[in-house]
Structure formats: structure tokens, C-alpha cells
Amino acid sequence: MIRLTLYTLVLSGFVSASPAQDPLSLNSTKKFYDVQAHRGGRGNTVESILPSFAWGLVDGATTLELDNGITLDGEVVVWHDEEITARKCRDTKPVVPNDPSFPYVGKFIANLTLAQIKTLDCGSQRQAEYPQQLLYPGAQIPTLKEVFDFVECADPTHQILWNIESKIDARFPNRTAGVRDFVQKQHAVFQSSPYYLSITYQSFDWRTLTAMKELDPRITTSALIDEDTAFMPDNSTTPWLAGLRLDEFPGPSFGEQVVQAAHKIDADILSPTATVTIPSPKDPSENIPFTTQSLINEAHRLGMQVKPWTVNRLDIADELLQWGVDGIITDYPSVIRRWAKQHGRSVAPKYPKQRIFTCLRKHMQLDSGN
């Protein structure tokens, strides 16, 4: 865990000594029901490219959700996977003749430079599980700064919110950049953006959440968790939860233990899986939902919000709404926004399509170097 005081970081230039202008608080997200466009809304558009976030704005999302990787040369890019997968991206040409790293497909983000990554076509392949995805052939993996710049063009008054994940692998440190690199490099991009305090910082690796809170207590943090990160098959301490064991918390239910652990690391939001069931601690032959009413009640008792993922079915959304969740992360933000509105929730306004797509054309040209 990074042990740096805020005072040290101010002196080092990592945090500004002066407060940000017009700071946003966690309560600002309560203005609209928090419909989060997962990877920009991958049910409708190929994920994590500039057009993904364009359609998230068109669909009226409250929050744009995305993931970050760190390249070999230290650039913060927007991509979900640790590696470049053949099912999502295609090689075009090496960045230089006879590049020994070519082909780049199949390589880890951490082992490729930004220039190498920028040669990839990541907009030409529709995923079989999302048959309605729009394709954008030739679209590149963007940097986080490029996404901020594009969205600011379409959102000049900076109304959109962000939920940004550090895609670090706590099990395999050699596959991704480390905690310190993620936190410092992401924070530097956050702080230089007009969206600085509109950002929630989320991770399955809770070490990055504690490090970000230490670096900058003003950043809202969200603790991601699912069955793979909560437990280890051999009952050893999971590497994902910053050294915590859920069974060391009083509970009395599993959901309450999860909340208490997230509260221990000062997370502002808990973001559990909403579509998974796990064996009941009382009766292993019986499965119970990972996200429960008792989990949500305990989070609210401790002053935390709950925003489950990835909810693409309205029957699940109905139950979560009845239980009182504060937002929903979905691949179909247009559907969840319409559903939230039907249930009497205030929803974020949509942005003018003409402005969005004018900005998209401009920024995709900049991204390609034309």
C-alpha cells in the first residue's frame, strides 16, 4: 500500500495546494438517477472507442463508465482488457518496419507503447453476444485525455459524470502496471481535466482505492466486487481486497460483511455484481444473490451508495430499484434510462446529436492523425 501523506504529495506536485473550482460532492450524483453507460454502452456500439462514448451521450447516460490500462511508455489508455484480444482488435501494420513486437494482437497493454497500440483497428468486429453493436471500422483505442477532450467538446458545460476503473490484475503483477503507476498516472490526467471532481474511481483491486484516497481524499471511490474477487478457492486471503478477509467482519449476513469491508477502506460507493448467485453460507446447497436487500440497507446505514453491475435485464433492475439502489451500470443505457423515467426517477438530459457527431468527426480525425 502506498503510504504518502497529502502534505507530502502537495509538496511533490501530485496534488494542487489550492482547492478545485466548483467542486462536486457525492451528493451531486443524486440530481439524476445514475444510469451508467458501461464501456460507453457496449450493447449498442463497439466498446471503449470514441463512438462508444458519443452514443452514451446520445442515450442520455448520467455517467460514462470506462476502464484504464497503462502502456509500456506510461500512457493512460481506455481499454477494458489486460491484453489486445483478437476478437476485438485487428493488426494493421507495425509502427516501424521489422518491429519485433509485431503483431500486437495478443500482447499485454503494459508491454506495448501508445504508438504501437494506435496502429490497431478496434472498431471493425461486432461481438457475438451483442449483435446490435454499431461498428466503426478503423477506430483506435483512445487515451483517457482524448476521451475527456472529445466529451468536453460535446458537453461544454461539463455536466456528464464519470466512473473510471483501474484495470490492474492483483493476481498477476507482471500483466499490468502496478498500483503506484495506476494511481499516480490516472490522477495526473484526472487533475488536468475539467471533469476532475466529477470522477468516481473504481477498482476490483482495493489497494488502488486506498492509494487514491491517500493521494487525494477528494476523489470519490467505488469498491467493485464479485464472486471471483471476494473468495479464494483454497480459503486463503484474496489478493483483491487490500489484505481484508470478509469473514473477519461481524455481518451478520455475507452482504453486510462485504459492505463493512468496503467501509473499512473508506469507499464511498459499493459496486457489486448484480447477476451472480453464490452458495448460501447457511446452506451450501442453496444459492443466494450476491447483491441483496440487506447489503443495500447496510451500505445506506453506513453512508455509502450502491451501484450494481452489469444490469441488462429489467426484471433484475425492478428488484434492485425496489431494494433502493442508487444507480445501475448497464450495457443498454437508453433502455435503463427509459425504465428509470417510467418509474418516476429524474433522468439526465440528452445532448444535441448534431453537436455530438460534429465533435466525434473532429476528434476521430485528430485521433488518427489526419
Side-chain angles (χ1 to χ4, degrees):
M1 185 184 301
I2 298 175
R3 299 289 187 185
L4 296 174
T5 66
L6 184 60
Y7 176 73
T8 300
L9 292 161
V10 167
L11 293 180
S12 302
F14 289 124
V15 178
S16 171
S18 60
Q21 296 297 313
D22 300 319
L24 297 173
S25 70
L26 188 62
N27 290 331
S28 69
T29 64
K30 295 180 180 178
K31 183 177 180 182
F32 303 116
Y33 193 74
D34 196 7
V35 177
Q36 297 201 12
H38 186 233
R39 307 185 203 175
R42 66 172 171 170
N44 302 325
T45 315
V46 175
E47 68 183 60
S48 302
I49 54 176
L50 291 185
S52 313
F53 304 107
W55 280 101
L57 295 175
V58 169
D59 289 337
T62 315
T63 299
L64 296 177
E65 192 273 353
L66 56 89
D67 311 271
N68 283 168
I70 309 292
T71 66
L72 182 63
D73 49 347
E75 297 290 338
V76 181
V77 294
V78 176
W79 196 243
H80 172 269
D81 305 330
E82 297 168 11
E83 72 284 351
I84 304 297
T85 58
R87 64 191 294 264
K88 295 181 181 178
C89 297
R90 297 174 180 172
D91 276 300
T92 58
K93 60 182 180 180
V95 69
V96 294
N98 303 314
D99 183 352
S101 295
F102 189 80
Y104 307 132
V105 170
K107 305 292 195 309
F108 290 112
I109 293 282
N111 294 333
L112 295 172
T113 66
L114 179 61
Q116 290 170 327
I117 287 170
K118 283 294 189 181
T119 67
L120 296 162
D121 172 3
C122 297
S124 293
Q125 299 183 96
R126 182 176 293 115
Q127 303 306 296
E129 62 270 37
Y130 297 104
Q132 298 181 69
Q133 282 183 332
L134 293 174
L135 299 180
Y136 285 83
Q140 300 173 352
I141 292 175
T143 66
L144 179 57
K145 184 180 184 306
E146 287 168 344
V147 174
F148 281 157
D149 288 346
F150 156 63
V151 173
E152 184 182 13
C153 174
D155 171 38
T157 57
H158 310 125
Q159 298 301 304
I160 197 73
L161 302 176
W162 302 83
N163 189 12
I164 299 177
E165 181 178 346
S166 61
K167 213 64 188 179
I168 187 170
D169 196 322
R171 302 162 302 169
F172 303 105
N174 61 325
R175 293 184 178 179
T176 63
V179 170
R180 185 182 181 89
D181 275 344
F182 264 96
V183 170
Q184 291 186 352
K185 292 183 185 304
Q186 286 179 286
H187 183 267
V189 183
F190 294 173
Q191 194 177 33
S192 65
S193 164
Y195 292 108
Y196 173 34
L197 292 180
S198 302
I199 295 168
T200 293
Y201 185 65
Q202 67 173 351
S203 188
F204 285 104
D205 189 337
W206 291 10
R207 296 174 303 166
T208 63
L209 303 182
T210 59
M212 183 62 83
K213 279 291 191 187
E214 185 73 19
L215 176 61
D216 188 348
R218 292 171 291 182
I219 298 290
T220 299
T221 56
S222 178
L224 285 162
I225 192 167
D226 64 5
E227 75 284 8
D228 293 326
T229 56
F231 312 108
M232 293 296 288
D234 60 0
N235 201 35
S236 61
T237 301
T238 172
W240 295 98
L241 306 186
L244 301 178
R245 290 182 61 99
L246 298 179
D247 56 13
E248 293 176 349
F249 291 87
S253 70
F254 167 75
E256 289 164 301
Q257 289 175 316
V258 169
V259 173
Q260 291 159 12
H263 187 254
K264 179 75 173 177
I265 63 163
D266 295 324
D268 303 289
I269 300 167
L270 179 66
S271 192
T273 175
T275 58
V276 167
T277 59
I278 56 173
S280 168
K282 296 181 180 179
D283 181 1
S285 66
E286 177 188 355
N287 285 338
I288 61 172
F290 194 100
T291 299
T292 60
Q293 177 79 79
S294 61
L295 178 152
I296 294 163
N297 290 347
E298 179 70 356
H300 289 168
R301 184 184 75 81
L302 293 176
M304 299 170 63
Q305 295 185 0
V306 180
K307 299 181 181 182
W309 58 276
T310 302
V311 181
N312 294 334
R313 287 174 43 177
L314 292 183
D315 57 341
I316 295 176
D318 285 341
E319 186 170 50
L320 291 170
L321 186 68
Q322 183 179 356
W323 290 347
V325 295
D326 303 283
I328 286 179
I329 302 171
T330 179
D331 291 321
Y332 299 94
S334 59
V335 174
I336 294 296
R337 181 184 185 276
R338 184 169 64 242
W339 162 88
K341 191 172 182 179
Q342 183 187 40
H343 283 275
R345 299 307 191 267
S346 179
V347 295
K350 295 186 176 183
Y351 295 81
K353 285 186 181 180
Q354 183 175 355
R355 185 169 74 207
I356 292 170
F357 289 112
T358 298
C359 289
L360 181 62
R361 285 191 295 271
K362 172 186 172 184
H363 284 265
M364 287 192 76
Q365 290 173 349
L366 290 174
D367 190 42
S368 65
N370 294 333

